[in-house]
Amino acid sequence: MSAVDGQGVALGGLEHAGLPVARARRGRRPTVRSVTLRALGVFVVVVLLLFMIGPILWLALRAFSGLWQYPQFLPSHWTLKWWSSVFADRSLGHSIQLSFEFAPVVTFASAAICLPAAYAFSRFNFPGRRVLLVSLFATNAFPKIGLYISMAGVFYSLNLMGTFLGVVIVQLIGTIVFMTWIPTAAFSAIPRSLEEAARDVGAGPLRVFFRVTFPLAAPGIFVAMILTFLASFDEAQGTFLVGIPNYITMPTEMYTLVLNYPEQAAAVFSILLAIPSVILMSLARKHVMGGKLAEGFQIR
Amino acid sequence: MVLPPVAVVAVFIGFPVGAAIAYTLGKTGGPNSTVALFAQRQHVAKHGVTFAAYREVLGNAHVRGDLWATVWVTLVTIAVVVLLSWTIGLYVRLSDTRIARTVSALSVVPLFIPVVIASYAILTFYAAQGFIKTLAYHVGWHSFPTLGYTLWAVVIGEIWVNVPFGVLMMTSGLNSVPNALIEAARDSGASLPRTVRSVLLPMNVIPTVIVATFTGIYVLGSFTVPYLTGPSAPNLMGVSMAQFFSSFNQPQQAEVMAMIVFALAAGIGTIYVWANMRAAKRSSVTS
């Protein structure tokens, strides 16, 4: 966008490329320039719509298609039979249940491990604080599949291959950074003067924490927990490597589904798997967009 | 209080990675003894270390093909994601129209969709009978290439997955530049590209580095996207790594590949930590 309105900014260009706060656009007559920019904007939206949403819609249609021949844009025959066949499949039902067992366990384990640390990182300045905070980045510095391979090699000796605990650990590893950095940023954003004021009027340290600090940091913690839940719920590659053949969660089941089931069944299963993600992310959306995620990634 | 997460990282990342390094150098004892029991084609060091496993893996033409494919896909994805995030971030920052808001809403859609589903959806969208081929057919372009099961589909998938993080980081970075600064530059006659180059760009080096490094490391460590959308060979290292480990029973070779990918990522990670440290130093001086 920016490259288009290069030179003639003094005339009409500012209307669209201009700053939202600086100039009111209302009441001006459209110029050739502003119309071109607008058309370009619409074009970008259409391309982005196709690129971002297109694949999802195309897959969703498949879940209801009885007969769909190339090159038709829509199925010629619609059906719901794939839904009943997925619901009737025992192993698929079991993997759905497993996913809902792992995700809460991982979320609470991760919270229990990381939240006290997040508080300490934001409130106490101890030697090695920065080094330790950065060292947690190790979980993200290693490319995931390479890390899982290394973990799996040792998991044989630790008797963790194919166990519930092994899968929990693999899923937990990827969530430590969210669960520490985002709440650390949230705790750091609370002015100490608020806590001191509460203490001055006689509140004990625990009371200060639960009545002042925690409620103010709650949105950040909430976002971290949702991201952790989803990270666990959607994690496929590590679970695939460590959990097989005993623990096959929903996303791991997709690998087999794609290869061995009709496309329509895989589409139905995809929609089912996406539902929790869509709901939970919608809850966290406001905070994630508001910069909670971005804040967490700038080490302070 | 800070001990638990640090201990988890040390025990479940530090320890396995250390053991894996030893294993790739031919040390089959200790924590590697169980995996070494069933491993095929293992290179064992009698005394000291041996680089035989590395020689074997790097001497394998298929693996070298995978390595180049990995580097190529990673670089292209980083470039496109950075460019796209900047473009969308700038558009949202400088324009307050409904179009801009739609663009920013669209660009974070992948956050809502699990990667497995996204990969599968992208595969069917660009497949031989997918939407793109159908569209090309209807506009008369019958020879339009099928992108499904090619490295292009992998690149498309990786971009799709990484765009939301990039856009969120860049939007947040660009929003932290005060309006007054941009207006001052514009009022003193700077064109928009000039303003971007001399005001917005220098103030957003860190978010840009973060987007580039996280995207790069994500691609290097990805399995799902290339496994579902990519060709059988050459594909990304992540896929062949998992194959060597689970299907061919050659964990040592798989771990050698992991080390190669770690080395690639180490370069990227160093840039990230360095940029962050530099920023922290600067902000502690100014504020």
Side-chain angles (χ1 to χ4, degrees):
Chain A
M1 290 289 93
S2 56
V4 182
D5 41 27
Q7 281 71 39
V9 266
L11 299 169
L14 273 177
E15 287 167 355
H16 271 278
L19 305 160
V21 284
R23 279 113 182 148
R25 285 183 294 112
R26 240 160 260 147
R28 293 224 195 161
R29 272 193 300 137
T31 58
V32 175
R33 227 191 139 69
S34 70
V35 171
T36 322
L37 276 176
R38 198 175 171 76
L40 211 70
V42 171
F43 176 74
V44 170
V45 168
V46 170
V47 170
L48 212 59
L49 200 71
L50 209 64
F51 181 73
M52 288 291 174
I53 316 277
I56 304 296
L57 286 182
W58 190 252
L59 182 65
L61 281 178
R62 202 151 292 251
F64 303 95
S65 79
L67 186 68
W68 193 350
Q69 272 168 337
Y70 178 79
Q72 272 155 8
F73 278 113
L74 290 173
S76 49
H77 179 245
W78 301 82
T79 175
L80 281 174
K81 72 171 176 180
W82 303 108
W83 289 79
S84 46
S85 73
V86 165
F87 284 121
D89 192 313
R90 272 276 181 71
S91 71
L92 297 185
H94 182 64
S95 71
I96 294 173
Q97 187 196 336
L98 260 183
S99 278
F100 279 103
E101 283 171 20
F102 277 115
V105 170
V106 170
T107 309
F108 284 106
S110 180
I113 291 171
C114 300
L115 288 182
Y119 182 76
F121 276 128
S122 88
R123 277 300 181 252
F124 309 122
N125 205 353
F126 47 89
R129 176 184 166 275
R130 284 195 63 80
V131 175
L132 288 178
L133 198 53
V134 175
S135 76
L136 295 183
F137 175 67
T139 52
N140 279 41
F142 288 104
K144 280 281 141 59
I145 187 72
L147 183 61
Y148 295 147
I149 297 265
S150 307
M151 288 169 80
V154 177
F155 273 20
Y156 279 112
S157 292
L158 299 175
N159 282 323
L160 287 171
M161 276 312 248
T163 64
F164 191 87
L165 186 62
V167 174
V168 168
I169 292 169
V170 159
Q171 297 189 348
L172 182 86
I173 284 295
T175 71
I176 284 184
V177 164
F178 299 141
M179 251 320 184
T180 316
W181 288 8
I182 297 175
T184 300
F187 283 127
S188 297
I190 302 168
R192 275 178 201 225
S193 54
L194 278 180
E195 292 171 326
E196 279 156 19
R199 215 162 291 156
D200 286 347
V201 294
L206 275 179
R207 201 177 148 94
V208 171
F209 181 81
F210 284 107
R211 299 298 292 272
V212 179
T213 317
F214 187 76
L216 285 171
I221 295 173
F222 174 69
V223 169
M225 289 188 80
I226 285 190
L227 290 176
T228 301
F229 187 94
L230 288 180
S232 156
F233 196 80
D234 299 342
E235 209 291 320
Q237 48 196 35
T239 312
F240 178 62
L241 212 61
V242 170
I244 239 165
N246 306 334
Y247 293 98
I248 299 179
T249 57
M250 278 174 92
T252 324
E253 188 76 52
M254 273 297 286
Y255 292 136
T256 348
L257 266 177
V258 168
L259 298 174
N260 305 334
Y261 280 66
E263 278 183 337
Q264 291 92 330
V268 170
F269 203 67
S270 300
I271 294 178
L272 290 177
L273 179 50
I275 291 172
S277 298
V278 171
I279 293 175
L280 286 174
M281 274 309 291
S282 307
L283 290 176
R285 183 176 169 275
K286 199 178 77 202
H287 298 296
V288 174
M289 309 296 139
K292 284 278 178 308
L293 188 69
E295 264 167 38
F297 279 90
Q298 317 225 9
I299 307 170
R300 275 187 201 98
Chain B
M1 278 162 105
V2 299
L3 195 65
V6 176
V8 168
V9 169
V11 172
F12 293 110
I13 293 183
F15 171 62
V17 170
I21 293 172
Y23 187 41
T24 57
L25 294 173
K27 298 288 184 197
T28 51
N32 298 320
S33 51
T34 317
V35 76
L37 284 179
F38 64 82
Q40 308 284 315
R41 300 169 57 105
Q42 203 161 231
H43 302 274
V44 185
K46 298 249 161 42
H47 349 262
V49 295
T50 168
F51 290 94
Y54 284 86
R55 266 198 298 278
E56 187 206 322
V57 168
L58 287 171
N60 184 330
H62 287 293
V63 176
R64 280 207 307 275
D66 290 343
L67 181 59
W68 291 122
T70 307
V71 171
W72 178 83
V73 168
T74 307
L75 291 179
V76 173
T77 307
I78 292 178
V80 176
V81 167
V82 167
L83 206 71
L84 217 63
S85 315
W86 260 94
T87 314
I88 295 173
L90 268 181
Y91 192 42
V92 172
R93 176 70 181 86
L94 299 177
S95 156
D96 192 26
T97 54
R98 209 168 58 229
I99 295 175
R101 282 192 295 271
T102 316
V103 166
S104 84
L106 278 178
S107 58
V108 295
V109 163
L111 283 181
F112 296 78
I113 309 293
V115 180
V116 190
I117 292 169
S119 311
Y120 184 54
I122 284 166
L123 176 70
T124 55
F125 195 67
Y126 298 92
Q129 306 197 336
F131 177 81
I132 295 296
K133 285 281 275 189
T134 308
L135 190 65
Y137 181 90
H138 282 279
V139 298
W141 189 353
H142 296 266
S143 62
F144 189 84
T146 301
L147 299 176
Y149 296 120
T150 69
L151 286 177
W152 289 108
V154 179
V155 170
I156 291 170
E158 302 280 13
I159 294 170
W160 197 91
V161 172
N162 281 291
V163 155
F165 179 70
V167 169
L168 285 177
M169 284 307 296
M170 286 328 302
T171 315
S172 143
L174 289 168
N175 278 340
S176 68
V177 178
N179 272 326
L181 269 182
I182 305 178
E183 276 168 51
R186 297 295 292 267
D187 286 346
S188 53
S191 64
L192 192 61
R194 178 73 205 265
T195 311
V196 170
R197 212 169 52 237
S198 358
V199 180
L200 292 170
L201 191 63
M203 293 184 74
N204 280 285
V205 175
I206 294 291
T208 311
V209 170
I210 295 178
V211 171
T213 48
F214 272 71
T215 304
I217 291 175
Y218 183 90
V219 177
L220 288 175
S222 64
F223 169 78
T224 307
V225 173
Y227 178 71
L228 289 178
T229 65
S232 47
N235 205 334
L236 300 204
M237 294 281 275
V239 178
S240 32
M241 218 183 277
Q243 252 166 15
F244 270 82
F245 193 90
S246 307
S247 315
F248 306 157
N249 256 339
Q250 298 182 19
Q252 196 180 30
Q253 283 74 359
E255 292 190 10
V256 168
M257 290 182 209
M259 295 305 135
I260 295 170
V261 172
F262 287 171
L264 295 176
I268 299 181
T270 317
I271 300 172
Y272 169 82
V273 172
W274 170 80
N276 247 317
M277 292 287 189
R278 222 182 69 145
K281 214 174 275 171
R282 203 185 302 153
S283 70
S284 68
V285 172
T286 50
S287 64

